[in-house]
Amino acid sequence: MRLLFLSVLCLLLAPVAGAETAMRSGTISPGALWPDDKGVHINAHGGGILQHDGVYYWFGEHKIAGDAGNRAHVGVHVYSSRNLINWKDEGIALSVVDDPMSDIVRGSVIERPKVIYNAKTRKFVMWFHLELKGLGYKSARSAVAVADTVTGPYHYVNSFRPNAGIWPLNLSEADKDPARTVVARDFETGQMARDMTLFVDDDGAAYHLYASEENHTLHISRLTDDYMRPAGDYARMLPMGNDEAPAIFKHKGKYYLITSGLTGWAPNPAKSYVADHIFGPWTALGNPVRGTLEQQAITFGGQSTFVLPYGNGHIFMGDIWRPKDAIDGRYLWLPIEWDKDKPVIRWYDTWNLKTLETPQ
Ligand code: GAL
């Protein structure tokens, strides 16, 4: 009986003790289960982080078990943390609905949500990749939701294909021929938009990066001052480069971009780029992964989703997808290191956030 009592006590305390140990040590274990404050593996896939008033908020896709989890049954989950290690479950920031006429009906696809704060409107603005229910990945739309408080609830606003009727800043006259390019084919209806991220520059201008043109070319599109719509100027980032999963960051005045190739849920080699101006031109820096050939070929089993500034450096965030049991997807967080002027990522079984607190 006493033994039973002790075992039950241990079981009850285990997640908390684990979390406290992690907090004390400040370590991250890429690919491991990552318990939240209730001891439940964090459910925020394809996510991104907003830092607001000294607190980090991690938004991501809430997945359910099995391959059904690849569609949205719950919505966008949000967690909060002051130390990036211990995460409090703040619930569902944006919920799917049961109205079959709604874009975000249960069973639609809601992917790669990102949230930014607009200081002028004092609104939290969420963008995500939306696929309408029952149409596979054909819709390729961007969707927007908005909230007055960071953890929500977020109110769904609308979805669209961005930049209808607008040419990219850097398209040649010859490529404005619909017989030649997808960007011209989609000129009237708006550009396809799948994998995406958001980025706020030092001057407060925000940008939406999305995989467009049948996933062959990423676009970067400036947002209006309220961050709710495309502002009308956008550029093709890496024409016909076959990049997706964009994650962008700024370091010493330059812009860096990490992407993946196009193999769905299966991992492939990551790619990296640098630019002096946010609209490019972008220069390829090669595969940022340093390690074994296997690690370079599959990016440690993961795919980029976000890069978070931290301390004097940056954290690379990726997803190790588990498409057959989506809820079991894991998080690949690694420090960005520098090999001369190139951002590089090495594997660590565990690593300490302190490594990013010293000058890079
Ligand atoms: C990946 C993409 C994911 C998801 C998946 C669906 O390439 O990065 O966000 O869309 O394809 O197969």
Side-chain angles (χ1 to χ4, degrees):
M1 186 63 193
R2 207 165 134 202
L3 199 64
L4 183 69
F5 173 75
L6 278 178
S7 335
V8 170
L9 192 71
C10 283
L11 272 179
L12 284 174
L13 291 180
V16 181
E20 273 178 1
T21 313
M23 183 172 70
R24 265 200 304 275
S25 55
T27 57
I28 288 175
S29 304
L33 285 170
W34 197 335
D36 66 9
D37 60 323
K38 297 172 183 157
V40 177
H41 179 49
I42 290 171
N43 199 336
H45 309 267
I49 289 182
L50 170 69
Q51 195 181 4
H52 188 74
D53 288 345
V55 180
Y56 296 99
Y57 296 90
W58 178 355
F59 295 85
E61 304 158 24
H62 180 105
K63 305 268 199 191
I64 63 166
D67 66 5
N70 299 315
R71 289 171 298 284
H73 296 270
V74 177
V76 175
H77 209 134
V78 57
Y79 296 81
S80 67
S81 174
R82 288 190 175 269
N83 60 12
L84 293 176
I85 306 285
N86 301 97
W87 291 92
K88 176 169 182 251
D89 182 358
E90 299 278 4
I92 302 303
L94 174 75
S95 294
V96 296
V97 298
D98 287 313
D99 173 4
M101 298 308 285
S102 166
D103 288 357
I104 56 165
V105 62
R106 204 179 301 275
S108 58
V109 170
I110 292 177
E111 287 183 342
R112 297 182 177 270
K114 304 289 180 297
V115 173
I116 52 180
Y117 176 64
N118 190 294
K120 286 187 194 131
T121 61
R122 300 189 175 187
K123 302 272 184 203
F124 297 88
V125 185
M126 176 189 291
W127 285 61
F128 55 94
H129 164 205
L130 175 77
E131 296 291 345
L132 300 174
K133 185 176 177 180
L135 297 179
Y137 277 82
K138 286 201 176 72
S139 309
R141 294 172 83 82
S142 300
V144 180
V146 69
D148 293 324
T149 49
V150 58
T151 53
Y154 283 74
H155 301 286
Y156 180 70
V157 179
N158 60 356
S159 80
F160 47 84
R161 282 193 170 185
N163 294 312
I166 304 167
W167 291 114
L169 297 167
N170 55 351
L171 190 73
S172 69
E173 283 306 312
D175 282 344
K176 292 182 180 171
D177 175 358
R180 264 177 77 104
T181 61
V182 176
V183 70
R185 181 198 74 186
D186 292 345
F187 177 75
E188 299 289 348
T189 50
Q191 300 297 323
M192 299 176 80
R194 292 201 182 106
D195 281 8
M196 58 141 280
T197 194
L198 298 177
F199 176 73
V200 182
D201 209 343
D202 304 330
D203 60 1
Y207 297 85
H208 173 214
L209 286 72
Y210 54 89
S212 195
E213 304 181 31
E214 307 285 358
N215 287 353
H216 293 310
T217 301
L218 286 172
H219 291 178
I220 180 163
S221 170
R222 195 169 60 83
L223 300 183
T224 48
D225 286 352
D226 61 7
Y227 300 168
M228 299 290 286
R229 288 172 295 117
D233 42 350
Y234 73 109
R236 301 171 85 212
M237 299 182 83
L238 308 154
M240 302 311 286
N242 296 324
D243 293 85
E244 63 177 10
I248 187 173
F249 64 103
K250 202 170 183 179
H251 176 74
K252 296 189 177 162
K254 289 184 192 287
Y255 300 91
Y256 293 86
L257 177 72
I258 297 180
T259 70
S260 75
L262 312 177
T263 53
W265 302 118
N268 58 51
K271 301 180 251 181
S272 61
Y273 305 89
V274 63
D276 290 325
H277 305 284
I278 199 153
F279 279 138
W282 294 85
T283 305
L285 297 177
N287 188 337
V289 172
R290 297 289 180 273
T292 65
L293 287 179
E294 159 96 13
Q295 288 172 331
Q296 292 174 51
I298 61 166
T299 313
F300 313 112
Q303 185 183 30
S304 40
T305 184
F306 197 72
V307 171
L308 177 70
Y310 179 80
N312 290 300
H314 294 86
I315 300 171
F316 168 86
M317 291 170 51
D319 292 282
I320 300 174
W321 303 111
R322 296 271 163 86
K324 294 200 175 103
D325 188 19
I327 197 173
D328 193 36
R330 305 298 174 88
Y331 308 105
L332 178 72
W333 286 28
L334 288 165
I336 291 192
E337 301 177 339
W338 292 89
D339 175 1
K340 301 197 181 75
D341 291 336
K342 291 183 182 182
V344 297
I345 311 163
R346 293 187 179 83
W347 176 260
Y348 296 99
D349 288 340
T350 62
W351 62 280
N352 198 305
L353 286 170
K354 281 203 188 90
T355 59
L356 291 175
E357 288 165 13
T358 49
Q360 299 289 296

